[in-house]
């Protein structure tokens, strides 16, 4: 089931279930937030083409990332593979929606990088979750682009602005509640005009730490809350973006998350 958060015709943000064949999708509007209330369709349907998709979840608590979770990505940046998941936090103010333009900050320099990732959405309060019960606390999965100011990641040491600046965590286009995350393809494309370049092409089966081990590890130290998001790491092939380019991250079984990049005025 695909759960979207959207607005249409100037409405306040609403939630709905995306149904239909590609090119003919409709959003079946539901009441409330499905993370916190039962799924209750109103009967209203909105054509997907008439809706503006928003970030499918705005974490009330936190967004977590997992660094160096693909061996080839760790190697391309000259890093060792960590024994345990390398966890970092970014604020919920970094979250952006699908299609939201990102103005490249002047302080990011020439090395603002894309990082296409699978992201986990937590469904309920949980702590010390054993790996065999992780499915019980996962609501579904979405796509993340863990945008990183690479030079500042090195110079700042703490990644508060290198990964946590406003708009640096696009999520979307919706939450897929029925995905098996063990072996899905992640493809990232850098688009310049009519030129489409595939820059990342990996599979989640190559993750060093899989979804159950990530959630178990994180929840051993901190309580997870409904709507928390955990990004699971990026495959090899990260690289810079420039104003005027667009980055598309496609995750098999979910869809495509697109982010255009612009220059500051």
């Amino acid at each position: 089931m695909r759960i979207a958060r959207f607005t249409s015709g100037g409405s306040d943000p609403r939630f709905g279930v995306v149904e239909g064949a590609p090119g003919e999708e409709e959003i079946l509007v539901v009441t409330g937030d499905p993370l916190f209330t039962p799924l209750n369709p109103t009967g209203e349907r909105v054509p997907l083409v008439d809706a503006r998709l928003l970030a499918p979840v705005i974490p009330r608590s936190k967004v977590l990332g997992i660094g160096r979770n693909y061996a080839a990505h760790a190697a391309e940046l000259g890093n060792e593979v960590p024994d345990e998941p390398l966890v970092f936090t970014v604020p919920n103010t970094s979250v952006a929606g699908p299609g939201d333009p990102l103005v490249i900050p002047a302080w990011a320099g020439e090395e603002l990088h894309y990082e296409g990732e699978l992201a986990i959405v937590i469904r309920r309060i949980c702590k010390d979750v054993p790996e065999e019960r992780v499915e019980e606390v996962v609501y579904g999965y979405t796509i993340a682009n863990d945008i990183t100011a690479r030079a500042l990641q090195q110079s700042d040491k703490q990644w508060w602005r290198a990964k946590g600046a406003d708009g640096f965590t696009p999520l979307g286009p919706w939450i897929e509640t029925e995905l098996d995350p063990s072996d899905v393809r992640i493809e990232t494309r850098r688009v310049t005009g009519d030129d489409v370049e595939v820059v990342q092409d990996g599979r989640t089966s190559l993750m060093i730490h899989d979804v159950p081990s990530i959630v178990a590890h994180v929840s051993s130290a901190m309580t997870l809350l409904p709507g928390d998001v955990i990004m699971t790491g990026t495959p090899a092939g990260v690289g810079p973006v420039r104003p005027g380019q667009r980055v598309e991250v496609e995750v098999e079984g979910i869809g495509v998350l697109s982010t255009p990049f612009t220059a500051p005025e």
Side-chain angles (χ1 to χ4, degrees):
M1 185 183 302
R2 296 174 289 179
I3 305 295
R5 179 171 166 265
F6 73 100
T7 185
S8 62
S11 70
D12 289 335
R14 298 186 288 173
F15 289 87
V17 179
V18 180
E19 300 178 331
E24 301 177 355
E25 298 98 330
E26 293 183 323
I27 303 175
L28 175 60
V29 181
V30 301
T31 59
D33 183 337
L35 266 172
F36 299 94
T37 59
L39 201 64
N40 183 25
T42 66
E44 180 185 359
R45 291 180 177 272
V46 176
L48 184 61
V49 295
D50 294 337
R52 178 193 169 203
L53 293 177
L54 307 173
V57 59
I58 299 294
R60 290 164 169 80
S61 171
K62 53 190 169 293
V63 181
L64 303 172
I66 306 298
R68 306 174 193 171
N69 200 26
Y70 290 77
H73 170 59
E76 73 179 344
L77 295 181
N79 294 314
E80 297 292 328
V81 173
D83 293 331
E84 293 184 318
L86 176 61
V87 185
F88 60 91
T89 63
V90 295
N92 58 10
T93 49
S94 70
V95 170
D100 288 350
L102 176 63
V103 179
I104 300 176
W107 47 258
E110 296 294 316
E111 292 297 316
L112 191 72
H113 284 203
Y114 53 81
E115 294 189 10
E117 310 195 8
L118 176 73
I120 307 163
V121 181
I122 298 298
R123 76 185 310 158
R124 62 179 176 85
I125 298 173
C126 57
K127 178 73 165 64
D128 294 318
V129 183
E131 290 190 24
E132 63 271 17
R133 299 191 63 181
V134 162
E135 276 191 15
E136 299 174 23
V137 305
V138 172
Y139 182 69
Y141 300 87
T142 191
I143 304 172
N145 188 346
D146 177 26
I147 295 166
T148 305
R150 193 67 69 195
L152 291 177
Q153 185 184 21
Q154 301 301 320
S155 63
D156 283 355
K157 305 305 179 185
Q158 296 291 331
W159 301 346
W160 66 280
R161 63 174 171 168
K163 287 181 174 286
D166 291 354
F168 274 28
T169 311
L171 299 176
W174 40 64
I175 299 170
E176 173 56 66
T177 63
E178 299 173 8
L179 184 76
D180 177 353
S182 60
D183 184 28
V184 295
R185 185 181 185 183
I186 301 175
E187 181 180 281
T188 303
R189 300 181 288 270
R190 182 168 49 197
V191 182
T192 309
D194 294 330
D195 179 59
V196 180
E197 178 187 8
V198 176
V199 288
Q200 292 184 288
D201 191 354
R203 303 195 69 87
T204 56
S205 55
L206 298 175
M207 291 195 300
I208 298 165
H209 306 287
D210 61 10
V211 167
S213 62
I214 288 170
V215 175
H217 178 74
V218 170
S219 69
S220 70
M222 61 176 63
T223 299
L224 296 173
L225 301 180
D228 281 356
V229 172
I230 306 173
M231 300 181 290
T232 60
T234 194
V238 300
V241 288
R242 302 286 182 259
Q245 293 182 324
R246 185 175 76 254
V247 171
E248 298 175 346
V249 183
E250 182 169 3
V251 174
E252 181 182 6
I254 301 180
V256 179
L257 170 67
S258 179
T259 302
F261 292 80
T262 65
E265 296 181 358

